[in-house]
Amino acid sequence: MEPADFAVRAGQWLRGPGPDSDVVLSTRIRLARNVEGYAFPNRIEAGARSALEERLRQWIEAAGMGEAHYCNLSEVDPLMQQMLMERHLISRELLQGEGDRGVTFASTELISIMTNEEDHVRIQVIQAGQTLQAALGQAIDLDRRLEAQIPYAYSDTYGYLTACPTNVGTGLRISVMVHLPALVFMDQMDKVFQAASKVGLTVRGFYGEGTKAVGDVIQISNQQTLGRTETEILETLANIIPKIVEYERGVRTHLVNEQRVSLEDRVWRAMGALRYARKMASEETLNHLSAIRLGVNLQLLAGLNMSEVNELFVITQPAHLQALKGRELGPDDRDVARANLLRERFKPESN
Amino acid sequence: MEPADFAVRAGQWLRGPGPDSDVVLSTRIRLARNVEGYAFPNRIEAGARSALEERLRQWIEAAGMGEAHYCNLSEVDPLMQQMLMERHLISRELLQGEGDRGVTFASTELISIMTNEEDHVRIQVIQAGQTLQAALGQAIDLDRRLEAQIPYAYSDTYGYLTACPTNVGTGLRISVMVHLPALVFMDQMDKVFQAASKVGLTVRGFYGEGTKAVGDVIQISNQQTLGRTETEILETLANIIPKIVEYERGVRTHLVNEQRVSLEDRVWRAMGALRYARKMASEETLNHLSAIRLGVNLQLLAGLNMSEVNELFVITQPAHLQALKGRELGPDDRDVARANLLRERFKPESN
């Protein structure tokens, strides 16, 4: 797999439409599993880790994932590593780890399995839009197929054993990525943070770091699984997400009806910057793309393809840009390359 | 004169090209004069002020100014008053004054005479570009024609007598308005301020308030006239202005050669905002127009008429906007009207 080919388009979860996709970008399920008889990755010896990585690869292949790719992180170059992270296929922890560790991901990128991350096995299912039940169902199905191959570390008392106690039990984390430009515009995000934390949910940014809503996108997820069933975790999310969606939609309607000029100003200034800037940093880009997404959703902008707009959230990131240009670029050159790409994508003729 | 008709286009000094007009917007000469036998305006009684205002009007008419208009400020509505100030035809002091006071200005707006401002007579000649000698010559010529009519208050010891001691002698102030976007961009304005203050010159903004270079435009002028001849004052300016012009040009060349992308980014982002914003405050507008002027001068932008760009510095001001719309507008509505006007003027089709 050539970096440039890989960089051209983002995964299906970001491109595809999905339920409530005006607000919900994606639903992500993560299951943490470990293999009986091996030390957790933070304790394992290099030799055992290598052997396990190889066995896991075979087990995963045997479980059947359709058309899929495997990367051993210790063997791929840093650019490809970072692209995998920008693509949400691997975690920062796997990227920054050492020794044999890898990821197997379906060509659709809707499924990925990290090996030798914090746990031996991290199953990820990520779908476009709000698909809590369906995504969880798919993750459980994949988990069962893997369980038929892999001797999981399991305790009748505690459930699945994990490297970090907070994940013990189901090993389940559900993350819903939501786009809340109207709530950010009206300075209402505190209410979302409070509502989420009240029911034990965590809020993070698009790439997980901190809680800063760069691009007006946040991920809402359960903090721990210990002592809670899959159904309980699912219900917490299933309960709050529709409320946040309705809240965002309500404020969008308010903006259209009561503050139309300010709204159009925000959307069209973003378009102006995307069409004309000669250099643009990553964070500024995400904020403009957010406004464009909002404009398309509210039909203030015509002729734009939403999946292409979504995709730009990922392919304007540093490693993707460098892969597209076919060479390493310093921060200044990336800002120029990013602006060039955006100018091309948003040029007036193409609308 | 209808406000709407008056608002459509700015004075010739701003529209017309002139020497060094890539950097120098205008050269302005002011002469302060008073009439023998009348108290200074800040001391004069209302009756005497009215009588003097009427006599001055006749004297000025007799001196001959070609096609000209007279406004008694106490009779024109506030919108027209403010437009006269935005047009640089009257001072803030005349606007905020009380009682009979006025302005007579040539239809070209290259000459104006304020009456009963701080002094009884304030002659103003304003020309496009750097025209120190020519503008001073024209002012002196007009002054002589007025002196043939008006018994000026004059002392053989001190020269022309004025309300404020700093103006005694020649009553001359020379102001050169310069556009220094490259120096602002490269954070070099301190050097200009220092160089000016070292030779006793003052630096103010486009509309005189403070020294903030809104729109990257500053006015450089002599602080006082007492004890100095016209020639000495002229030479101080004639000495420093070409240096500032060359400094600005040098930095522009540097930007084109060494920082072209940053320069284009600045210019094109301004264009993006002007073409797409739905509301825009006055100060932001001046800053974008500054970038556009720079872009036209450096041939980064084609198809734009410089005199129309310059004119926008004035006709996007609050009173002009309201006159163009034909009604009073609050600040928010002005921001919308301003953005509409700018969008129309900068729409891509017209380039």
Side-chain angles (χ1 to χ4, degrees):
Chain A
M1 188 170 35
E2 286 302 306
D5 299 334
F6 185 60
V8 220
R9 53 180 4 202
Q12 201 169 306
W13 64 270
L14 193 56
R15 285 186 291 111
D20 299 327
S21 64
D22 56 328
V23 178
V24 182
L25 287 173
S26 70
T27 303
R28 191 160 63 97
I29 308 294
R30 183 218 65 193
L31 294 171
R33 300 289 184 257
N34 287 279
V35 183
E36 217 173 47
Y38 289 87
F40 290 133
N42 60 339
R43 294 269 182 159
I44 203 169
E45 283 171 25
R49 172 192 278 267
S50 294
L52 177 61
E53 179 69 20
E54 183 52 31
R55 291 209 64 182
L56 281 168
R57 190 182 165 176
Q58 291 160 4
W59 282 329
I60 290 166
E61 207 177 311
M65 274 181 62
E67 193 190 324
H69 307 275
Y70 169 79
C71 297
N72 186 320
L73 269 277
S74 69
E75 288 163 10
V76 301
D77 70 23
L79 192 69
M80 188 68 188
Q81 289 182 13
Q82 209 190 323
M83 257 202 292
L84 289 166
M85 195 184 79
E86 291 174 358
R87 216 59 160 249
H88 293 249
L89 290 170
I90 67 169
S91 62
R92 184 174 296 272
E93 177 146 359
L94 192 76
L95 177 82
Q96 293 173 343
E98 284 179 6
D100 285 310
R101 65 205 190 282
V103 63
T104 306
F105 58 93
S107 296
T108 59
E109 300 179 27
L110 296 173
I111 294 174
S112 74
I113 302 171
M114 288 189 287
T115 38
N116 282 318
E117 199 241 26
E118 181 182 298
D119 296 296
H120 296 142
V121 177
R122 286 268 175 121
I123 299 167
Q124 173 177 280
V125 166
I126 185 163
Q127 297 187 346
Q130 178 171 223
T131 63
L132 288 165
Q133 286 283 2
L136 183 59
Q138 193 180 12
I140 289 173
D141 176 63
L142 176 59
D143 184 44
R144 291 209 177 118
R145 280 184 283 136
L146 289 168
E147 198 156 21
Q149 307 290 330
I150 307 174
Y152 280 158
Y154 183 83
S155 144
D156 286 337
T157 315
Y158 301 113
Y160 294 102
L161 301 178
T162 55
C164 176
T166 56
N167 293 324
V168 166
T170 62
L172 171 66
R173 164 169 269 179
I174 306 181
S175 299
V176 179
M177 201 184 298
V178 287
H179 180 228
L180 307 175
L183 292 174
V184 172
F185 192 76
M186 296 296 281
D187 210 9
Q188 299 291 303
M189 289 294 279
D190 276 357
K191 294 190 186 158
V192 176
F193 293 139
Q194 281 160 18
S197 98
K198 214 170 157 183
V199 291
L201 298 176
T202 302
V203 173
R204 295 173 305 149
F206 187 58
Y207 281 105
E209 317 88 17
T211 59
K212 205 178 160 202
V214 176
D216 307 328
V217 171
I218 56 169
Q219 297 184 63
I220 299 171
S221 55
N222 60 306
Q223 220 154 355
Q224 53 175 54
T225 79
L226 185 59
R228 307 182 71 202
T229 67
E230 282 91 348
T231 310
E232 283 167 353
I233 294 168
L234 184 84
E235 276 176 1
T236 310
L237 272 298
N239 198 11
I240 199 171
I241 296 298
K243 287 183 188 136
I244 293 172
V245 169
E246 284 314 311
Y247 189 19
E248 166 69 18
R249 282 181 185 151
V251 176
R252 288 184 190 180
T253 304
H254 166 83
L255 286 175
V256 168
N257 294 334
E258 309 294 333
Q259 298 198 37
R260 194 172 179 99
V261 173
S262 297
L263 176 65
E264 289 182 339
D265 187 61
R266 162 102 167 88
V267 169
W268 281 103
R269 277 176 181 262
M271 185 63 95
L274 292 167
R275 281 185 178 166
Y276 289 107
R278 263 50 181 174
K279 54 184 188 180
M280 192 175 284
S282 183
E283 182 166 335
E284 184 191 350
T285 302
L286 294 179
N287 288 332
H288 292 322
L289 291 174
S290 167
I292 297 298
R293 245 189 76 88
L294 180 64
V296 173
N297 275 321
L298 297 180
Q299 297 175 297
L300 302 176
L301 299 174
L304 285 173
N305 180 315
M306 183 63 99
S307 86
E308 285 177 17
V309 174
N310 285 350
E311 188 173 55
L312 288 170
F313 276 78
V314 165
I315 70 173
T316 56
Q317 295 297 311
H320 276 78
L321 272 181
Q322 294 174 75
L324 287 169
K325 292 289 280 187
R327 62 193 169 86
E328 255 187 68
L329 299 170
D332 289 350
D333 289 337
R334 288 203 298 269
D335 288 352
V336 172
R338 186 178 292 113
N340 289 344
L341 171 68
L342 292 165
R343 225 159 52 245
E344 181 60 30
R345 290 293 182 104
F346 287 102
K347 70 173 176 230
E349 293 76 9
S350 70
N351 301 328
Chain B
M1 188 169 37
E2 285 302 305
D5 299 334
F6 184 60
V8 222
R9 55 180 3 200
Q12 200 169 307
W13 64 270
L14 193 56
R15 286 186 292 111
D20 299 327
S21 64
D22 55 329
V23 178
V24 182
L25 287 174
S26 70
T27 303
R28 191 160 63 96
I29 307 295
R30 183 218 64 194
L31 294 171
R33 299 289 184 257
N34 287 278
V35 183
E36 216 173 47
Y38 289 85
F40 290 133
N42 61 339
R43 294 269 181 159
I44 203 168
E45 283 171 27
R49 173 193 278 267
S50 295
L52 177 60
E53 180 69 21
E54 183 52 31
R55 291 209 66 182
L56 281 168
R57 191 184 165 177
Q58 291 161 3
W59 282 328
I60 290 166
E61 208 178 311
M65 273 181 66
E67 193 189 324
H69 306 276
Y70 169 78
C71 297
N72 186 319
L73 269 277
S74 69
E75 288 163 9
V76 303
D77 70 23
L79 193 68
M80 188 68 190
Q81 290 182 13
Q82 210 191 322
M83 257 201 294
L84 288 166
M85 195 184 79
E86 291 174 356
R87 214 63 158 247
H88 293 249
L89 289 170
I90 67 169
S91 62
R92 183 175 298 272
E93 178 145 0
L94 192 77
L95 177 82
Q96 292 172 344
E98 281 180 8
D100 285 310
R101 64 205 190 283
V103 63
T104 305
F105 59 92
S107 297
T108 58
E109 300 179 27
L110 296 173
I111 293 174
S112 75
I113 301 171
M114 288 190 286
T115 37
N116 283 317
E117 200 242 27
E118 183 183 298
D119 296 296
H120 296 143
V121 177
R122 286 268 176 121
I123 299 168
Q124 173 177 282
V125 167
I126 184 164
Q127 297 186 346
Q130 178 171 223
T131 62
L132 288 165
Q133 286 282 4
L136 183 58
Q138 194 179 11
I140 289 171
D141 176 63
L142 177 58
D143 184 45
R144 291 209 177 118
R145 280 183 285 135
L146 289 169
E147 199 157 18
Q149 307 290 330
I150 307 173
Y152 281 157
Y154 184 83
S155 144
D156 287 336
T157 316
Y158 302 112
Y160 292 102
L161 301 178
T162 55
C164 177
T166 56
N167 293 324
V168 166
T170 62
L172 171 66
R173 165 170 268 180
I174 305 181
S175 299
V176 180
M177 200 183 300
V178 286
H179 180 229
L180 307 175
L183 292 174
V184 172
F185 192 76
M186 295 296 281
D187 209 10
Q188 300 290 304
M189 289 295 278
D190 275 358
K191 294 192 186 158
V192 175
F193 293 139
Q194 282 161 18
S197 99
K198 213 170 159 183
V199 292
L201 298 175
T202 301
V203 173
R204 296 172 306 149
F206 187 58
Y207 281 104
E209 316 87 18
T211 58
K212 206 179 161 202
V214 175
D216 308 328
V217 171
I218 58 169
Q219 297 184 63
I220 300 172
S221 55
N222 60 307
Q223 220 153 354
Q224 51 176 53
T225 78
L226 184 58
R228 304 181 73 202
T229 66
E230 282 91 348
T231 310
E232 282 167 354
I233 295 168
L234 184 84
E235 275 176 1
T236 311
L237 272 299
N239 198 11
I240 199 171
I241 296 296
K243 286 182 188 135
I244 293 172
V245 169
E246 284 315 311
Y247 189 20
E248 167 68 19
R249 282 181 185 152
V251 176
R252 288 185 189 179
T253 304
H254 166 83
L255 286 175
V256 168
N257 293 335
E258 310 294 332
Q259 299 198 37
R260 193 173 179 99
V261 173
S262 297
L263 176 66
E264 290 183 339
D265 187 61
R266 162 102 166 91
V267 169
W268 281 103
R269 277 175 180 263
M271 184 62 96
L274 292 166
R275 281 186 179 167
Y276 289 107
R278 262 52 181 172
K279 54 183 188 180
M280 193 174 284
S282 182
E283 182 166 335
E284 184 191 348
T285 302
L286 294 180
N287 288 331
H288 292 323
L289 291 175
S290 166
I292 297 298
R293 245 189 75 89
L294 180 64
V296 174
N297 274 321
L298 297 181
Q299 296 174 297
L300 302 176
L301 299 174
L304 284 174
N305 180 314
M306 184 62 101
S307 86
E308 286 177 16
V309 174
N310 285 351
E311 188 173 56
L312 288 169
F313 276 79
V314 165
I315 70 173
T316 57
Q317 294 297 311
H320 276 78
L321 272 181
Q322 294 173 77
L324 287 169
K325 292 289 280 186
R327 63 193 169 85
E328 256 187 65
L329 299 170
D332 288 351
D333 289 338
R334 288 203 297 269
D335 287 352
V336 172
R338 186 177 292 114
N340 289 344
L341 171 67
L342 291 165
R343 225 158 54 245
E344 182 59 30
R345 291 293 183 101
F346 287 102
K347 70 173 177 230
E349 293 75 9
S350 69
N351 302 327

